[in-house]
Amino acid sequence: MTFRKVDHVAIAVPDLDEAIELYKSLLGKGPEHLEEVEDQKVRAAFFGIGETNLELLFPTSPDSPISKFLEQKQGRGGLHHICIEVSDLEGHLKQLKAQGVRLIDETPRLGAHGKKIAFVHPKATNGVLIELSEPQ
Ligand code: CO
């Protein structure tokens, strides 16, 4: 297994335009990439920070996992997940499964930037949701 880098850190936000303005003033620049990810029912804004990115996540539907997360946070938002880039996602998932690590996705699905992604269950990682991604 090769873990390459932290690809992004994702923050769930209750108002995307407001959050973009806030992070614009914090980081001194706007987002490089905006995308709607249908599979996860979210709109995402990416700010590049060196080798990694900050991802702001906003739900596009009441049944989005981000809607449920925001409800748990009393609508204020918060740190949602950390994404680690790997070289061979399917191989990683097989190995983690063989090690008995609880996974949300046992097979890759499609994430932002058309990347293959999969989530590890937060019960397996001290309560932190970890996303693994493989670039195209
Ligand atoms: Co992500």
Side-chain angles (χ1 to χ4, degrees):
M1 295 204 282
T2 312
F3 293 100
R4 286 184 170 152
K5 62 173 186 179
V6 172
D7 182 77
H8 61 267
V9 172
I11 298 168
V13 301
D15 182 321
L16 189 59
D17 292 334
E18 212 173 86
I20 287 174
E21 285 311 309
L22 171 69
Y23 280 89
K24 234 185 199 173
S25 59
L26 281 172
L27 301 170
K29 61 170 185 171
E32 279 87 4
H33 183 73
L34 292 162
E35 184 175 343
E36 191 154 328
V37 186
E38 272 176 51
D39 186 52
Q40 286 153 75
K41 297 177 180 158
V42 293
R43 212 181 332 270
F46 288 89
F47 293 79
I49 305 173
E51 288 273 289
T52 190
N53 293 274
L54 191 76
E55 175 184 27
L56 301 178
L57 281 175
F58 177 76
T60 54
S61 156
D63 63 345
S64 164
I66 299 303
S67 296
K68 281 164 207 142
F69 180 84
L70 288 172
E71 269 169 44
Q72 287 164 10
K73 299 277 172 188
Q74 284 83 42
R76 287 191 293 263
L79 183 62
H80 185 260
H81 67 266
I82 296 173
C83 177
I84 300 168
E85 186 184 298
V86 298
S87 50
D88 167 19
L89 183 55
E90 273 160 58
H92 270 71
L93 293 174
K94 269 187 203 139
Q95 189 171 333
L96 291 171
K97 204 184 162 193
Q99 286 171 223
V101 175
R102 192 163 160 194
L103 303 171
I104 292 177
D105 303 303
E106 293 191 355
T107 53
R109 52 181 159 135
L110 210 56
H113 297 94
K115 289 180 185 180
K116 285 198 280 183
I117 64 155
F119 286 97
V120 178
H121 200 284
K123 286 206 168 131
T125 52
N126 290 103
V128 179
L129 181 61
I130 303 233
E131 176 184 359
L132 302 174
S133 81
E134 180 185 326
Q136 312 103 306

